[in-house]
Amino acid sequence: MPDPKIEEAKAALRLKARSSRAAILNSTRPDAAKAVADHFFKAVALRPADIVAGYWRIKDEMDCQPILVRLMDTFQPVCLPVVLGDEQPLELRLWEQGAPLYEAGFGTLAPSELAPQVEPDVILMPLLGFDKRGTRLGYGGGYYDRTLERLSRRPRLVGLAFAAQELDDIPREAHDVPLDIIVTEHGARHFEPAPA
């Protein structure tokens, strides 16, 4: 059961984080996304068979398309999330080379419903904010939390963000799975696993 005080604190942080992210100049966003891609490939070692779950940017999120293009160009397996409905986990569909993408709600694109469902080894995560401990502030819908719960193994979690999205401290509840790495236009930071 979520703690009402923590949820209230997170709601206030979401307002602040949305405002900070929206204030980032549109003219700087493409260069930031390219820098994030460069830092990602330097910081995250991938085996040829590792499946990477990306996302299709919504509104002013960090664009991971430069990462997706490079992954697809090197035939690294990629999957994209599909929202099936409220209170449900995301469905992660393999995006096969040359396969078209379709509108999947919320302004996102995804492979067709006939695409194989997979479990990724790495998940690229959009976010509103992050802190120095690797706590991710999401949108509050719990989609990634529910998805991680149903996976048979824990993938590496890589948050993609603008440096301006860093917050001093985000309260963490038991269901909040911390990031392993955060990648911004300034570089990548690895986080220590949370104590058990």
Side-chain angles (χ1 to χ4, degrees), residues 1-21:
M1 182 84 164
D3 182 323
K5 285 184 179 176
I6 290 179
E7 289 304 309
E8 190 177 314
K10 284 183 178 180
L13 286 172
R14 284 187 184 99
L15 290 174
K16 177 182 176 183
R18 279 185 200 279
S19 174
S20 295
R21 192 174 71 186

Side-chain angles (χ1 to χ4, degrees), residues 9-152:
K10 284 183 178 180
L13 286 172
R14 284 187 184 99
L15 290 174
K16 177 182 176 183
R18 279 185 200 279
S19 174
S20 295
R21 192 174 71 186
I24 297 167
L25 295 174
N26 284 336
S27 61
T28 65
R29 291 173 182 270
D31 286 341
K34 287 178 192 159
V36 163
D38 289 340
H39 296 308
F40 170 79
F41 286 102
K42 288 176 189 162
V44 181
L46 296 172
R47 296 169 304 209
D50 283 348
I51 299 171
V52 180
Y55 62 88
W56 210 259
R57 175 180 61 87
I58 300 173
K59 298 181 182 173
D60 57 4
E61 290 176 340
M62 174 58 75
D63 190 356
C64 78
Q65 205 166 353
I67 295 173
L68 295 177
V69 167
R70 282 168 68 175
L71 291 170
M72 295 296 279
D73 284 350
T74 58
F75 299 95
Q76 188 77 43
V78 170
C79 65
L80 294 172
V82 179
V83 176
L84 299 176
D86 291 344
E87 305 303 317
Q88 291 190 45
L90 298 166
E91 190 171 275
L92 298 164
R93 296 180 189 165
L94 191 65
W95 182 18
E96 296 177 291
Q97 201 74 17
L101 296 176
Y102 299 91
E103 286 189 29
F106 299 97
T108 66
L109 297 176
S112 94
E113 57 194 25
L114 301 176
Q117 293 180 43
V118 293
E119 288 204 3
D121 300 284
V122 176
I123 298 181
L124 305 179
M125 303 180 88
L127 49 85
L128 280 171
F130 66 93
D131 68 14
K132 63 185 174 294
R133 298 179 302 144
T135 307
R136 172 186 175 267
L137 181 66
Y139 299 95
Y143 291 105
Y144 279 98
D145 293 330
R146 286 189 295 279
T147 303
L148 293 171
E149 250 177 41
R150 80 169 173 85
L151 295 177
S152 64

